[in-house]
Amino acid sequence: MPAPQMPPPPAPRPSPSVPRDSSRDASGETPPRVAPPSSKGGGFAARIAELQVNRPALPLLVTGLLTIVAIFLATRLSVLTGFESLLPASRPSVQELDRVAAKTAGVSTLFVVLQGGEGTPTAALQRAADALVPEIERLGPPWVGSVEDGVHEAFRYLSPRAGLYVDRDRLTKLRDDIEARYAYEVNKATGALLDDDEPPPEVSARSIEQSLGLNGVDAGRYPDGYYQSKDGKTVVVAIRSKVIASDFAAGSEAIRRVREVVERVRPASFDPGITYGLAGDLQTGIAEYAAINEDLTDVGVAGAVLIAAVVFLYYLRVRTLLAMLITIGIGVAWTFGVTQLAIGHLNMATGFLFSIVAGNGINFGIIYMARYLEARRGGASLLEGVRVAHRETWLPTLTAGCAASAAYGSLVVTEFRGFRDFGLIGGVGMVLCWVATFVALPSILAVTERLIPLEQGSPGPLGRLRQRTQGGLAFGAPFARLAARGPAAITLAGLALAAVGVVATVAYVRADPMEYDLRNLRNDERARAEQIRLGELAEEITGYVGTDGMAILVDRPEQVEPLRAALYAKRDAAPEGEKPFKEIYALQDLIPRDQEAKIPLLQEIKDRVVRAQKRGLIGDDDWRRIQAVIPPDDLAPFGIGDLPVGVARAFTETDGTRGRIVYISPISAESVHDAHYLFRWADAYRETRLPDDSVVRGSGRAVIYADMWAAVIDDVPPAVLFSLAATVLVVLVAFRGGRPAFAVLGALLVGVSWMAGLLVLMDVKLNFLNFIALPLTFGIGVDYAVNIVQRYAREGAGGALTAVRETGGAVILCSLTTALGYLALIRSQNHAVRSLGVAAVIGELACLFAAVLVLPAALVWLDRRRPKGAESFLAVGRPTT
């Protein structure tokens, strides 16, 4: 938000007491001598100024108390990292996600990944894992719900029942083969075997295991029943915790306790080559949350340092800088205290608003301070300087603040919660920063004046530089010189570049500029590369349904089979290469069919195998292996309620209900990073109508992301149009139509065209976050041209260069603080946040350069083409001051 231009003061006469060259203000303009304050009246603003100056403790006490409360509230803000936090709660996908989360959340996964060195024996890894399991289990709920280092429980339960999973025909053939082999061996032993009898298949452990292989528990995948890699160099201990990954405090405590246990057991004591690492969704969630908090601090500090540096460069006064930093700190604290009351949390779109609000909101203090210092250099006292600053800046800064709030407010009309919250916080922040400036800054100035009087000079190079610049560097002078040297060339070049930007943008939009690689919307994974590697390794070894699988929750277990049939029909109907998903998993998969009919066959098989073993037809080694898969004498049909807890855990709801959770897995682990695939996947299971006309809805990341993009695409056009319409209306009202208004809007369109062209040139993909830069650029970027045109219209013919020299400095400073607030976002670890910073900085600088270079160059060129003595080009429709 740039400086609103105030009416120029009458030209003063040189005064012996105030030398002309030492009384020039920051823009180079000579300030007026200010008469001493009158004891009579002065209006409400004067009385307020008198209170703030003469009794600064009272406003500072009130401000301080409010700030303490606001800081307390702001520290309670949490950051929601999921995409679902960007959508309105009324969306069916969000409601379904909440419903499923309420039933299935509360069980997160933590892996202890044990890895061995080159010479580490697998047995040492297994012993280390076995030692960890009981120790971790002692931690108990809520930190640990269950812990296991393999599928031993599943093997113990399912191995004797392996035959129930085999087709009846195969069981019949196995029974007949065993019977034939038994008869063959008996006849052979008794000499009754005919010479032409063909020997039947041998009865061996291998042949029986092949016929009675386990369904759902692959002995080859889990050597010795452990969660173990094929090369035997990795063993995983899997922990289920009742702490959800979004609970940072409890999750951190759970991880700390588990790590303490691992350190106490010392896996390396079983073999020096053993190392360990933690992974899983609990570790990932806590690490991402910690990274975001660290990121917020990093970006906030970077923004504050950049803004402070440029403000100090302009004013060259430490006291001025401190006063403004304290003021903007109050405004930012109030903003996020209100955010806690109004919203209660931040999300991926709003978490980085600290530096943006600070960069925009400090501009009120810049304008106030500039006018205050100008009055003091003109001979005014502290009280009169505050009165002048109050009187001459409250309305222009309030108008500019409302314009900036309207730019943010354009996002409030959208349904997309990421936009709406951003607009609400930014809009309220502008108002509160304005209030903080006019409530706190005068009293802060009064206190600093009593401690160190303003007239007290400072020795050294800084003091001499300050005397020469009189409060600030002439930021606008170089642009004025450029505009004067080649106005026609600069104007035509600016318009040509704008036209190129428009053409490039049209082509870019037609080529679909959206970002479809989700890795470019998340945190930079390089810092967590090892943790990600361990997580992928653990999920591959354990076979756990990880974050890539989407859970569907049906109302009744009877709906599972019809749902699977309908979903598989959709998958099979899709063309090759465009399949929406790979497999569907349900607890019912572990319940064999036709158990009543198979049990007699299995008992007959067992009887014949036992008889064969007794006759010595089966060796001892084979018999030990066969005993693990032959059924017990009391074999009976079982259902999902009979499965062990460890087997059914992934399909069990938090209240213990089983059989209603279905998982649908993606085509591949890599495919989930492609938004095109996520859209296809989401459409496949978002809503399924069953034969009984009941409807089963699905959610999860795929559906949430698809809905998020749909919301963005629906909401961006109205937000941009609202911002543009509000901007045009403000400009038309401010200038009462006419040429000045069109000059301002023309400069804005040139800047926006440049912005678009640069985004195309840099191949910046549009996403759910950097879209915000478009409406903000209209509402905030227009003010730069407004200030130049306002000053030019008052100066008359030839005033364009004066406007840039004298108003451009404040305009550029305000633009720099805003741009630097955005620039700090580039330090973020999140790619989407970085892209917002890039887009917003480009928009700020493009609109600024259009306002302080192309616009004045065009005005100079047009004025030079007019007859000598004629009014300036913008004389018609010139605002009244």
Side-chain angles (χ1 to χ4, degrees), residues 458-578:
S458 58
L462 182 60
R464 291 193 294 272
L465 180 61
R466 184 188 303 144
Q467 289 177 1
R468 296 193 60 177
T469 59
Q470 281 301 307
L473 300 180
F475 287 165
F479 297 98
R481 287 195 292 270
L482 284 174
R485 289 179 181 176
I490 291 175
T491 302
L492 294 175
L495 293 174
L497 289 174
V500 171
V502 171
V503 173
T505 302
V506 171
Y508 194 53
V509 170
R510 287 181 176 176
D512 191 359
M514 302 300 180
E515 178 61 79
Y516 292 104
D517 188 345
L518 299 192
R519 286 170 292 198
N520 293 331
L521 303 180
R522 301 192 182 108
N523 286 351
D524 193 333
E525 295 182 345
R526 287 175 296 182
R528 298 191 304 108
E530 177 62 12
Q531 185 185 115
I532 293 172
R533 183 190 72 83
L534 290 178
E536 292 174 348
L537 178 63
E539 287 187 3
E540 179 185 355
I541 290 173
T542 61
Y544 272 40
V545 179
T547 56
D548 292 337
M550 299 293 129
I552 305 173
L553 182 64
V554 300
D555 295 326
R556 305 180 307 277
E558 297 77 24
Q559 293 176 308
V560 169
E561 289 308 319
L563 173 65
R564 283 152 58 102
L567 290 177
Y568 276 132
K570 290 181 183 179
R571 184 197 65 178
D572 297 340
E576 200 62 39
E578 296 184 11

Side-chain angles (χ1 to χ4, degrees), residues 796-808:
L801 299 180
T802 301
V804 176
R805 278 194 301 268
E806 300 188 358
T807 300

Side-chain angles (χ1 to χ4, degrees), residues 15 20 68 126 147 202 210 260 288 318 447 453 467 473 481 516 536 584 588 671 757 804 820 832 839 850 858:
S15 168
R20 190 176 182 86
I68 291 172
Q126 293 175 350
V147 57
E202 290 188 0
Q210 287 178 342
E260 280 185 353
E288 287 189 349
V318 174
V447 172
Q467 289 177 1
L473 300 180
R481 287 195 292 270
Y516 292 104
E536 292 174 348
I584 300 170
Q588 286 81 348
S671 63
V804 176
L820 290 174

Side-chain angles (χ1 to χ4, degrees), residues 128-142:
D130 287 341
L132 283 173
V133 169
E135 294 299 319
I136 294 175
E137 196 168 28
R138 287 194 182 95
L139 293 176

Side-chain angles (χ1 to χ4, degrees), residues 57-69 330 334 436 439-440 443:
L58 181 59
L60 288 179
L61 177 62
V62 174
T63 301
L65 291 175
L66 290 175
T67 304
I68 291 172
V69 173
I330 292 170
W334 289 359
V439 171
S443 296

